[in-house]
Amino acid sequence: MKIVFLGAPGSGKGTQAQRLVADFSMVQISTGDLLREAVAAGTELGRRAKQAMDAGELVSDEIVLGMIRDRLQKPDVDGGFILDGFPRNLSQAHSLESMLAELGKRLDAAVLLDVDFDILMKRLTGRRTCSKTGKLLNVYFSPQAELDACGAAGGELIQRADDNEETIGNRLDVYRQQTEPLIAYFEQAGLLRTVAGAGDMDAVYARIKGVLGL
Ligand code: AMP
């Protein structure tokens, strides 16, 4: 299956994509992860992206589209993919449409994880990644045993540089202004599947599988 995950920062796109990847033969393509890797590796692309990321703004379409074009040409996407955090504006959505047409591929669905804005803040400020396992956790919501397991495995709970209150506010504004119009875009294309993204992670995952017929 070829899917786009839509939703505000903190709506659970990354977490739910990781679960689909674990259960089905799909790959997760997260532009945020690819950009953070480039920043950590200190590449030219990473240096160009860092300022926008630190401010919670979108990185230029040119950078992001180049990364996506390369990624979609790797053979592992043939089993299906989840685009997580891309497209982020209408111009990226149009470019994706032509890129997929050139590659002879078509999207099966755009899944919108719908979460109220007041819940998003807590999810984002509490979010941590285990440095050892890469597992996404939350200091407010994850079971203590899962948080402790990271330390026991020799890892540390890392907070993303852009998960601070000031940057979060900006990222949510950017989402409202630039990304939300994609809901109507995918609805018109007949691809939109809306899932209530609040509450228990297992329940949300079951709803996602339900709308995808998995
Ligand atoms: P994310 O991990 O998806 O929340 O992305 C983190 C940051 O990376 C965003 O705040 C943007 O600065 C940048 N970013 C990720 N995906 C995109 C995209 N598709 N277009 C532009 N910027 C992006």
Side-chain angles (χ1 to χ4, degrees):
M1 268 196 143
K2 295 174 271 310
I3 305 165
V4 164
F5 264 180
L6 272 180
S11 59
K13 300 186 300 292
T15 303
Q16 297 296 341
Q18 283 185 354
R19 300 200 58 174
L20 281 178
V21 167
D23 290 347
F24 302 93
S25 59
M26 294 185 206
V27 291
Q28 174 188 10
I29 304 178
S30 158
T31 40
D33 285 348
L34 292 172
L35 288 165
R36 278 184 289 279
E37 279 163 23
V39 171
T43 64
E44 170 62 21
L45 188 151
R47 272 197 294 277
R48 286 170 60 201
K50 188 175 183 319
Q51 204 182 353
M53 293 174 78
D54 286 346
E57 305 286 347
L58 293 187
V59 171
S60 76
D61 286 353
E62 175 224 334
I63 290 183
V64 173
L65 289 168
M67 277 180 356
I68 286 283
R69 190 170 288 116
D70 289 348
R71 188 65 190 87
L72 285 177
Q73 279 167 13
K74 297 205 171 136
D76 64 346
V77 303
D78 289 346
F81 57 78
I82 306 155
L83 289 171
D84 161 12
F86 176 90
R88 267 308 218 269
N89 58 31
L90 276 172
S91 135
Q92 292 181 8
H94 291 301
S95 301
L96 174 65
E97 206 174 318
S98 10
M99 237 184 268
L100 290 176
E102 275 170 35
L103 295 167
K105 296 183 196 296
R106 273 174 59 172
L107 287 177
D108 296 294
V111 178
L112 170 65
L113 293 178
D114 193 20
V115 179
D116 285 345
F117 269 88
D118 48 340
I119 302 178
L120 295 172
M121 197 54 121
K122 206 165 180 188
R123 287 209 183 159
L124 289 164
T125 53
R127 178 158 71 178
R128 302 288 185 279
T129 305
C130 178
S131 61
K132 189 85 181 179
T133 61
K135 194 174 166 68
L136 284 170
L137 297 159
N138 190 295
V139 293
Y140 301 119
F141 304 120
S142 298
Q144 193 58 45
E146 283 190 19
L147 293 167
D148 293 344
C150 176
E156 271 179 76
L157 295 175
I158 308 286
Q159 184 171 32
R160 272 173 50 171
D162 59 352
D163 276 347
N164 61 75
E165 283 191 30
E166 193 187 329
T167 309
I168 289 169
N170 204 20
R171 286 159 64 208
L172 293 174
D173 285 346
V174 167
Y175 174 75
R176 281 202 199 95
Q177 286 161 18
Q178 302 197 45
T179 312
E180 249 178 16
L182 296 183
I183 298 173
Y185 170 87
F186 283 117
E187 187 160 35
Q188 265 172 12
L191 293 171
L192 189 71
R193 311 280 181 271
T194 302
V195 166
D200 181 62
M201 186 169 106
D202 292 338
V204 176
Y205 184 53
R207 283 179 220 134
I208 292 173
K209 284 196 295 183
V211 297
L212 293 175
L214 292 168

